Amino acid sequence: MKQLAKNVKVTANGKPLAGLTECSLNLTTAFASSQTKEDPTPVDEPLRVDWEISVTGDFGREGDASVDAADLKSAIKVGTKMPVVFEIGTLASYQGTALLSSYSESAPTDGKITYQASFKGVSKLTKKA
C-alpha cells in the first residue's frame, strides 16, 4: 500500500501544527566506544536512540485548535518541554517529550511566509498502538 505524505501530521501539546508542508522524524543511535588491551579494535555498544522532529509550514492556516507562531516562539524562549506526536496516517504514531530546539521564519518579497521548527527529544520515543 502506498502511503501519501499528506497523511503525516505533527502535534505539540495535543494540538496540530498548522500549515505543515514538510515533516521529518530523524533517529540516531548514540554509541559508547571502549577498547581493552585484548580488543584489536574499539568496541561500540549502543546506548540510546536520540530523536528529532523537524517541520516546515506556511503561515495563514492557523486556527484556534492549532499551534501557531506565537505558541512556538513562547516555547523556545522559555525552554518548555512538551509532548510531541508524529503520525504517519494509520501506519504508525510515535510520541515523546521534546524541547523546541530551533525556530525560524522566512518572509520573501514574492512568496508565502513560512516557518521551520525542530523538536529535540528529551525522553524515549515510543510507538503508540
Side-chain angles (χ1 to χ4, degrees), residues 39-57:
D39 295 330
T41 60
V43 176
D44 291 333
E45 295 179 33
L47 288 177
R48 67 184 180 282
V49 174
D50 292 331
W51 58 275
E52 182 176 84
I53 295 173
S54 300
V55 297
T56 301

Side-chain angles (χ1 to χ4, degrees), residues 7-80:
N7 294 327
V8 176
K9 68 178 182 176
V10 175
T11 59
N13 279 336
K15 298 177 3 180
L17 274 72
L20 292 182
T21 57
E22 191 173 323
C23 310
S24 65
L25 172 62
N26 304 302
L27 305 173
T28 307
T29 303
F31 293 93
S33 292
S34 64
Q35 185 172 6
T36 65
K37 293 186 183 286
E38 293 84 25
D39 295 330
T41 60
V43 176
D44 291 333
E45 295 179 33
L47 288 177
R48 67 184 180 282
V49 174
D50 292 331
W51 58 275
E52 182 176 84
I53 295 173
S54 300
V55 297
T56 301
D58 291 342
F59 282 112
R61 309 266 178 126
E62 301 83 6
D64 292 339
S66 63
V67 176
D68 61 20
D71 296 332
L72 294 174
K73 288 177 190 177
S74 174
I76 198 164
K77 287 178 185 176
V78 297
T80 304

Side-chain angles (χ1 to χ4, degrees), residues 53-107:
I53 295 173
S54 300
V55 297
T56 301
D58 291 342
F59 282 112
R61 309 266 178 126
E62 301 83 6
D64 292 339
S66 63
V67 176
D68 61 20
D71 296 332
L72 294 174
K73 288 177 190 177
S74 174
I76 198 164
K77 287 178 185 176
V78 297
T80 304
K81 292 179 184 175
M82 63 186 81
V84 178
V85 179
F86 186 92
E87 293 183 37
I88 308 168
T90 57
L91 293 178
S93 181
Y94 300 94
Q95 67 181 5
T97 302
L99 275 168
L100 184 60
S101 60
S102 70
Y103 176 81
S104 64
E105 295 177 2
S106 175

